[in-house]
Amino acid sequence: VQLQASGGGWVQPGGSLRLSCAASGSIRTINAMGWFRQVPGKQREFVATVSNDGRTHYAPSVRGRFTVSTDDAENGVTLQMNSLKAEDTAVYYCNAETKQPITGATHWYWGQGTLVTVSS
């Protein structure tokens, strides 16, 4: 599975950005897709995910401000980010979890990061 993320950039506090991630390759094995983010010097942290059955999960810090959804046209996932704060500044990474139908084995794939900067 290959993941291509786009949509990062600079925005003022309170603004909005939309991240997109397109998947290609063995997309039929994708079980869930989502986003993580990382600040230099810190561990990568979970942001949001959406599974094939439509269930979504959010980090407490973004719940109510961010919305994750599937993008059927791009076989991918989007992240609508509203009411952005300075602490949302990070490199955002698209993530896909695949699950093998017979063995049930799972594997994670990562896209390249896209930088989101929130500042005045």
Side-chain angles (χ1 to χ4, degrees):
V1 174
Q2 294 80 46
L3 302 173
Q4 182 67 44
S6 61
W10 172 83
V11 65
Q12 292 185 334
S16 298
L17 277 176
R18 183 181 180 89
L19 304 183
S20 297
C21 178
S24 59
S26 301
I27 60 174
R28 291 184 177 183
T29 62
I30 293 177
N31 187 49
M33 295 189 71
W35 297 89
F36 286 68
R37 65 188 182 186
Q38 188 170 22
V39 175
K42 294 188 177 181
Q43 287 189 334
R44 191 171 297 185
E45 66 175 12
F46 168 76
V47 175
T49 188
V50 56
S51 58
N52 281 353
D53 60 6
R55 288 179 297 171
T56 56
H57 298 279
Y58 295 93
S61 61
V62 307
R63 188 176 294 120
R65 300 187 298 122
F66 290 11
T67 302
V68 63
S69 59
T70 56
D71 182 349
D72 294 336
E74 295 289 345
N75 295 312
V77 62
T78 63
L79 184 68
Q80 178 66 42
M81 305 184 291
N82 299 327
S83 302
L84 282 161
K85 305 175 182 179
E87 51 263 44
D88 294 318
T89 296
V91 177
Y92 284 70
Y93 294 91
C94 177
N95 165 267
E97 178 192 86
T98 60
K99 185 175 183 179
Q100 297 303 314
I102 296 177
T103 66
T106 60
H107 188 83
W108 282 19
Y109 293 86
W110 298 95
Q112 89 288 4
T114 184
L115 177 62
V116 172
T117 303
V118 185
S119 72
S120 54

